[in-house]
Amino acid sequence: MIRRTKSLLIPSMLLAFFTLSATVWAAEPVVTVDSPSSVSYTSAHVSGTIDSQDAAPYYYFQYTTDPVFGEWSSGTFQGPLPGHTVEPVADDFTGLKPGTQYFVRLAATDFSQSWFSPEPNPSFTTDPVAPASVSVDPPTAVTGHTATFSGEIDPEAPAGNPSVFDVSWHFECTPACPGLSGTIPADNVSHPVSVEAAGLLPGQEYEVRLIAENAGGPSSAGPQFFTTGAVAPELEGIKVHPLRTEANIEATFNPGGLAATYHFEYGPTTAYGHSTPEVTVPAGSEPTTAKGTATGLSPGSGYHVRLVVGNSLGTTEGADKAFQTQDPAIAGGGCANQDIRNRQGSVSLPDCRAYELVSSPDKNGGNVSYGLTSTPDGLRVAAIASTGFADARSNELNAPYVMTRTAAGWETANLAPPLAGGFALNGFLQAGNFSTALSVALTQSRAYGEQMERRNILRTAMGGATAWVTKPAQPSQTPADDFLVGYSADASRVFFESTENFSSFDTFGKRQIWEWHAGEVRLVSVMPDGSPSAVDAEVGNGLNAIGSGSTSVVQMLAEPTAVSSDGSRVFFTIGTVNGLQLFVREDATTTKEVSLSQKPGNVGDEVFGEVAFLGAATDGSEVLFSSTGELTADATPGGGIYRYDLGSDQLEFLTPDTIDGNPQIQGAAGVSADGSRIYFVAGGQLVAGQGQPGGHNLYYADGNVVRYIATLHDYDSQDWNSFLYPRASRITPDGAHLAFQSVNPADRLRPRRARGDLQVGPCY
């Protein structure tokens, strides 16, 4: 029974008499479920009745394969039903697994309590689907980089060719090959399949399987083993770091599957004339880094260098690279500020640069403490200071400052908003909240406006104009804190979360996502049907995200973030009956659920499981997320990482199967600016024989390959866990390089650490 109390006005003299009758008992809804009907391979019809009694409940049907210990998946959330009526209700389950017994129940809820149909739960068994018949041939036409794979697949579909017998197939290599896949319609004919695999590593032993999957599950043939041929060395690039009388040289090459030797040739012309010592590397097929030092060079002189690599199949000469050694430290060395450079000892700085004092010498006894960032041209620098100075309009404890280089020297501007009065004991700035051009700062303070007990978000531009981003639309509301969660590159659009209502319609008192633009506030957390979210919504995964336009080195979510650079796309998560799901709001007009299934048999359905936002392209055209559900035909049990293309509406599965079927995705260390590459940490072993089961394994994925990088330490969580710390890892825009920190020393990042062998690391 649900006990509900009603307030009664009782004279004091009769209080004792009415004490027992002041509590009344409301009748619970009565929920019943019928035996399922219209059962097919992947669907079933379910029905029941709900006697609403005193409630006006919402309702949904649920199913599970284990009614005792299993998780219940939910159908469509519907309602509300009118109170005091008996209503027939129904739904259709889709995307079920063929040949599987399911148990069914009906649930009603008023969001404070749920009522279920009584046990025993009725059950049904879907029609079975036989896996396809598969065979694979030995690879042919094998070269150093290519091979032809072939085989046969028979869908063995029954009469009528039901679509659940449609087959998706792919060849799977170890080590990984680029995607080699296709589809076959349901029929009863054997289909030959053939693909040419490209981009293979030379001199590498591979195994290949042909995997075919229909709604009944996968079937495979193989493996077939083959070894690619060795090739002459292949050179990829060269970098030179010149000093005054020597130069450090690095280059990347592939040994071609054989033992190889390399050296660098260098000299004042392309005839070279000098070389570094010969270095031997063992046979291999992975890219190798060559290093050397050119010595005996003259300061301020031009030189040429190239890499030469050879193996038993031939010698490869790399492209020529020109460079110039640094200028000597002499007076009148061609720089207008040479005297200053000589006095500072800064003659090694390029482009006639010298050290300059950027911040104001008088900082009112405080420090420029953190949040240091600059524009790409270095002519504007921003930072956070602990005191007010430079014509400050407030005494914010952590105030934003912008320093600009002019012909007269460096000028300092304070971008803190004015205070309503008093000392800003609770005033503070979230580090990193500057526009890309460092002309706008976003601050959060409890010392502004009429509601000073409330966290306010403020936007201050160069010149001093301040906008109150979160000014209450309905001052009569109970004040609530507002949280900055993102902004566009120019900070013209600011996004925040709040339980306050900034609109004229009902937002259910839930935490909603809002956008401020040109003084107007509009709702972002809108469902695909146009209604406000009925539950709490969070940008990304509820991370305190900093906008993708920020150039700060101190931020809560490494770029790209859940807000596109122009502010037109915002990714957010909302909990549904199937778990946390990912949505995108585009151009403030439409909302799309991007974590829906694209797996044959339940395309467009919401799959039970938890979704986590990992990152997005700077323009929001691609989004990467993890899900414990199987959302594509090639997804493996336990799910993994997916990439969704907003232009093509295509979902791509990026991570392979694991030994125990649980990838344990822990977070992202970085995502490239175009969303094509991701570095992430997982507890599962995604590459056979590498990584530590249950550890913090750092991987790289781009859709064609997953590579193991290192196993990190518990203390390294700042590299991937944005819930706890500012992100420590950094990625280049193209995703080719990742910088990360680790307590583990370099020689122990890959092997498993011995117990007790803890290195000195950061303390938190």
Side-chain angles (χ1 to χ4, degrees), residues 210-245:
L210 176 56
I211 299 176
E213 184 171 8
N214 59 22
S219 55
S220 65
Q224 295 283 358
F225 297 90
F226 70 99
T227 301
T228 52
V231 298
E234 299 168 330
L235 280 55
E236 298 182 13
I238 186 170
K239 296 180 181 179
V240 181
H241 307 281
L243 303 174
R244 292 184 58 195
T245 59

Side-chain angles (χ1 to χ4, degrees), residues 251-286:
T252 304
F253 70 92
N254 191 317
L258 299 170
T261 59
Y262 73 83
H263 64 272
F264 293 98
E265 295 181 340
Y266 64 95
T269 68
T270 53
Y272 306 109
H274 302 274
S275 66
T276 61
E278 192 94 332
V279 178
T280 300
V281 296
S285 56
E286 294 282 351

Side-chain angles (χ1 to χ4, degrees), residues 30 280 350 353 405 409 516:
V30 178
T280 300
R353 296 178 185 176
R405 196 175 194 268
W516 176 95

Side-chain angles (χ1 to χ4, degrees), residues 511-572:
R511 183 174 65 250
Q512 305 283 359
I513 304 165
W514 304 90
E515 175 191 4
W516 176 95
H517 176 60
E520 299 293 329
V521 177
R522 55 188 175 185
L523 185 63
V524 172
S525 47
V526 178
M527 302 303 290
D529 63 3
S531 64
S533 171
V535 297
D536 288 341
E538 298 175 330
V539 164
N541 297 330
L543 307 178
N544 204 6
I546 301 304
S548 60
S550 169
T551 55
S552 171
V553 297
V554 180
Q555 52 192 5
M556 295 300 291
L557 182 63
E559 298 174 25
T561 69
V563 177
S564 64
S565 58
D566 63 358
S568 64
R569 287 170 170 155
V570 184
F571 296 96
F572 60 94

Side-chain angles (χ1 to χ4, degrees), residues 376-650:
D377 60 10
L379 298 180
R380 184 169 283 172
V381 177
I384 312 302
S386 57
T387 56
F389 61 93
D391 298 324
R393 297 184 295 160
S394 66
N395 54 359
E396 292 268 357
L397 294 180
N398 292 287
Y401 287 84
V402 173
M403 285 68 73
T404 304
R405 196 175 194 268
T406 69
W410 286 88
E411 296 181 353
T412 300
N414 183 305
L415 268 64
L419 296 185
F423 187 73
L425 289 174
N426 292 318
F428 66 95
L429 173 85
Q430 278 190 327
N433 297 342
F434 293 98
S435 64
T436 301
L438 303 184
S439 58
V440 176
L442 298 170
T443 57
Q444 297 187 139
S445 174
R446 297 186 189 274
Y448 194 89
E450 303 92 14
Q451 297 183 352
M452 293 180 60
E453 70 276 25
R454 161 181 180 260
R455 183 195 301 241
N456 299 283
I457 299 175
L458 306 159
R459 179 186 186 274
T460 303
M462 294 286 284
T466 294
W468 187 2
V469 172
T470 56
K471 184 176 181 178
Q474 303 172 31
S476 61
Q477 291 186 99
T478 301
D481 280 344
D482 307 309
F483 296 90
L484 178 68
V485 292
Y487 52 91
S488 59
D490 60 2
S492 64
R493 299 179 183 274
V494 183
F495 298 86
F496 62 94
E497 294 175 2
S498 180
T499 57
E500 283 199 43
N501 192 347
F502 293 81
S503 66
S504 60
F505 43 81
D506 187 7
T507 55
F508 310 108
K510 301 298 182 181
R511 183 174 65 250
Q512 305 283 359
I513 304 165
W514 304 90
E515 175 191 4
W516 176 95
H517 176 60
E520 299 293 329
V521 177
R522 55 188 175 185
L523 185 63
V524 172
S525 47
V526 178
M527 302 303 290
D529 63 3
S531 64
S533 171
V535 297
D536 288 341
E538 298 175 330
V539 164
N541 297 330
L543 307 178
N544 204 6
I546 301 304
S548 60
S550 169
T551 55
S552 171
V553 297
V554 180
Q555 52 192 5
M556 295 300 291
L557 182 63
E559 298 174 25
T561 69
V563 177
S564 64
S565 58
D566 63 358
S568 64
R569 287 170 170 155
V570 184
F571 296 96
F572 60 94
T573 51
I574 291 177
T576 72
V577 292
N578 290 312
L580 205 64
Q581 303 296 324
L582 181 63
F583 299 79
V584 60
R585 182 72 169 168
E586 297 187 87
D587 300 318
T589 57
T590 59
T591 299
K592 181 185 295 183
E593 187 170 357
V594 302
S595 54
L596 295 176
S597 172
Q598 294 191 7
K599 184 176 182 179
N602 60 348
V603 174
D605 292 344
E606 206 175 74
V607 175
F608 184 83
E610 289 297 315
V611 172
F613 171 84
L614 297 178
T618 303
D619 62 2
S621 60
E622 308 264 353
V623 59
L624 294 105
F625 64 91
S626 64
S627 174
T628 56
E630 298 176 42
L631 306 182
T632 60
D634 59 343
T636 55
I641 295 179
Y642 298 86
R643 178 168 55 217
Y644 179 82
D645 186 314
L646 273 70
S648 65
D649 196 33
Q650 294 299 306

